[in-house]
Amino acid sequence: MNQKKVLFTIFGATGDLAQRKLYPSLFRLYRTGSLAESFAVIGTARRPWTDETYRDIVKETIAYLNPTEQEAVEFASHFYYQAHDVNDTHHYDTLKILANKLDEQYQLEGNLLFYLAMSPNFFGTIVSHLESQGMLSSDGYHRVIIEKPFGTDFETANKLNDEITSVFSENEIYRIDHYLGKEMIQNISAIRFANNIFESMWNNRYIDNIQITIAENLGVEDRGGYYDKSGALKDMVQNHILQVLSLLAMEPPVAFSEKEIRAEKIKALEAVRIYTPEEVKENFVRGQYDTGLLNQESYTGYRQEPGVDEESETETFVAGKFTIDNFRWSGVPFYVRTGKRLTEKGTRINIVFKQVPINLFKSEVGKKCEQPTLEPNILTIYIQPTEGFSLSLNGKEVGPSFDMLPIQMAYRNSTETMENTPEAYEKLLLDALNGDGTNFTHWHEVAQSWRIVDVIRQTWDENTPEFPNYPAGSMGPDAAFELLKKDGFKWIWTP
Ligand code: BG6
């Protein structure tokens, strides 16, 4: 095992993300040996914690992974806490002294990985101080991992990017989209580029439409304050959905490398049509959940959630049709939908293939089948909570008639395999340690994604929506179903 020598400095160390995702992921990397003796973590935030408090918290966050007492203590001993006000220049000097000390103590060879897991308002201030206070003057590498949201529209994202790139170069910046660390999202490329039956048909001659659904049954939980300013379009479509779309739509890369994959994803996003306001109205719908009943439990409406304005016009649901104007995809709608408080949690991709040119079996003569149309072949990629694929085919029903029967060939990863699969954050942290940016978003991807969603946002902001418009526990407003119906399609997944 290639053991990494590195000093992590986590800004936002007391926060929810650090506790839920980062510490357990670091622990997993420790357990598998990627991190061993030569690593240290400085956690920073405003609260006046001691190293002991910090280590106790770290131990609590990994308790569910059942470490032995000795393992937990040894792991936590690598963690150091430094109270820090990101606006106070002097605090960076203190941080630097600690960083230098740990570098020597753990033999880290000057490798520095900064993790910005706090409000994006501070990203610019932090990186400029890292430079001005000489924190990037060590011999090793200097990398920065940045949590979403990367800006709130193209303009703010651009400004943020300018601030960061004045200190770090693009190949030192790791913009997180945790969907890119998910096993089955990474599998999209395997399905496409390792199976000739699919790659040869992956175009507008054979594919009718593609559907991406990211459904959540949870509401906004305790994130009402953030979410009410963001909404589903910025929270999910600008990042996760467009990233998934780019992996499905990109041309085969010349090599399976960071440079080539990113180049193809960027080209795919650049081919997504930026709609006019008229096209937005035609192709995108929004929703907000009302009170509702799910599994005999009643849920409050979005406007009654804590931290949410009681007259909020924020959307908790989006469905839309993206159009990709290139040779491969011209004429193939990419339908997307995502929302909170839907019927169940599930992320799925459905690739719906075109019908055979003639349905030979529809004739009513003799022993032919009575069905007027055949079911389409569908390749489904199950991202979560189950992971796997299925392919639906038409076969002949056993017996004297010639009725067609849709049959499904399905594969699912076993529970055991899933339990042993590295978590998205663990994989992404390891990638960043390896200097591999393939599964992080390049600035050009972020920029283009904002251009695509900005016009949707602006068009929506000009009209008052009729919210709430779907009950908690449903699959969104009726308009989301109409959207496909008017094109002669339907959502394949209807839980
Ligand atoms: C986050 C969003 O990026 O993704 C959340 O901010 C959302 O609102 C989450 O719940 C969904 O992630 P996952 O991995 O549970 O599908």
Side-chain angles (χ1 to χ4, degrees), residues 148 178-179 182 216 223 235-236 240 340 345 384:
K148 70 172 263 258
H178 76 282
Y179 265 66
K182 289 187 191 278
E216 296 187 83
R223 294 165 74 228
D235 189 49
M236 299 296 286
H240 310 320
K340 297 222 180 263
K345 180 169 175 72
Q384 61 186 21

Side-chain angles (χ1 to χ4, degrees), residues 286 456-464:
R286 51 182 160 163
I456 304 174
R457 183 74 266 160
Q458 284 152 13
T459 307
W460 282 352
D461 285 345
E462 279 160 22
N463 300 289
T464 308

Side-chain angles (χ1 to χ4, degrees), residues 21 147-148 177-179 182 214-216 218-220 223 226-227 230 234-236 239-240 340 345 347 384 423-425:
K21 300 289 183 188
E147 269 299 326
K148 70 172 263 258
D177 183 315
H178 76 282
Y179 265 66
K182 289 187 191 278
I214 306 185
E216 296 187 83
L218 291 179
V220 285
R223 294 165 74 228
Y226 149 78
Y227 195 86
S230 165
K234 293 184 182 183
D235 189 49
M236 299 296 286
N239 38 62
H240 310 320
K340 297 222 180 263
K345 180 169 175 72
T347 302
Q384 61 186 21
E423 222 251 326
Y425 271 90

